[in-house]
Amino acid sequence: MDNPVYHVLLDGRRIGPYDRRTIVGMKVKKALSSQSVLVGADGTELTVGELVRQGQPQDGSGAIPPGAPGGGSYSVVQGIHAARLLEVEGRGFKVPPFKGEVEVRVQTKALRVSGRWREGLAWKEDRVKFPLPDIAHARLRGTVVDLWIRTAGASGTQRISLDLLKPEAAGELAESLPHTAPYPGSEPLAGRTRRRSGSLHPMLWAIIVGSMVVVAGLLVWTLARR
């Protein structure tokens, strides 16, 4: 199927179907999160985040070439977040001294941060792009995401700290960076240890454990009567 469709699982109901482009658009508009569960035509479950990562071009290009399978259903923008730039440490990319709210945009090839800052009596606007393969490590601290970025020709890494304003947004940003590993000694990035298709839902585990307790209780009661 050139343009597969998926249903969205919401409160036990299936909504849809939607194609990939629609789902990515819903994620960008915050109607869906990376953890939202989808069901494919063959019954396979996956998350929105997994679908987005599967759709990234393997050749590193920003879009699927016209005429290629799946062409026309691809979105360069994978997610948009509001944030604040807290700190820049180390040499590397030239990051403007953004003030106030900045826009953090996850694209297929880069993480784009744009915003405004004051210079003298005037306000200026600019943006900086960090190639996704160069974002070596990430660390979650509540609403804050720390990123360690490699730079060609520079020793060590440059650290960028962003306040995503909400813990959910911070986790979503961290898990949307496909080449990034958790910073040594920090907690796993959000969503990286999420159950895969075929794993039991926590509620099912609770039912199974509860049933085992009931059976064990009945067995003890029966033996006691004998």
Side-chain angles (χ1 to χ4, degrees), residues 17-208:
Y18 305 106
D19 62 14
R20 185 184 184 282
R21 184 174 186 176
T22 301
I23 291 171
V24 171
M26 294 168 72
K27 177 179 179 295
V28 169
K29 296 177 181 178
K30 308 296 185 181
L32 295 175
S33 71
S34 293
Q35 287 76 36
S36 297
V37 179
L38 308 173
V39 180
D42 59 355
T44 301
E45 290 188 8
L46 73 164
T47 65
V48 171
E50 289 168 342
L51 178 65
V52 169
R53 289 193 291 273
Q54 286 178 4
Q56 291 181 347
Q58 298 302 311
D59 62 356
S61 61
I64 295 178
S73 63
Y74 192 75
S75 173
V76 173
V77 179
Q78 307 298 307
I80 299 177
H81 306 278
R84 292 181 182 275
L85 178 65
L86 299 181
E87 187 178 9
V88 179
E89 182 181 74
R91 300 179 60 183
F93 290 87
K94 185 177 180 180
V95 182
F98 295 125
K99 298 297 182 182
E101 188 173 287
V102 299
E103 180 189 82
V104 179
R105 182 174 296 192
V106 183
Q107 300 178 333
T108 56
K109 299 170 61 177
L111 181 70
R112 176 183 181 269
V113 180
S114 61
R116 306 173 67 209
W117 78 96
R118 197 176 189 95
E119 188 172 282
L121 299 178
W123 284 92
K124 291 191 173 183
E125 294 186 13
D126 204 352
R127 62 184 181 180
V128 59
K129 288 187 176 183
F130 307 103
L132 293 183
D134 291 341
I135 305 177
H137 298 289
R139 179 176 63 190
L140 282 169
R141 296 186 289 128
T143 63
V144 177
V145 179
D146 300 309
L147 302 175
W148 281 263
I149 305 167
R150 293 183 291 260
T151 306
S155 60
T157 55
Q158 182 180 34
R159 179 173 62 84
I160 310 295
S161 296
L162 296 165
D163 185 353
L164 273 292
L165 310 180
K166 296 180 180 179
E168 297 80 8
E172 186 172 329
L173 173 62
E175 79 153 22
S176 65
L177 305 173
H179 307 281
T180 304
Y183 188 72
S186 66
E187 296 293 325
L189 302 181
R192 296 293 174 88
T193 58
R194 187 192 179 278
R195 65 185 180 92
R196 296 290 178 178
S197 177
S199 300
L200 289 178
H201 191 280
M203 184 62 72
L204 293 180
W205 277 114
I207 294 173
I208 292 173

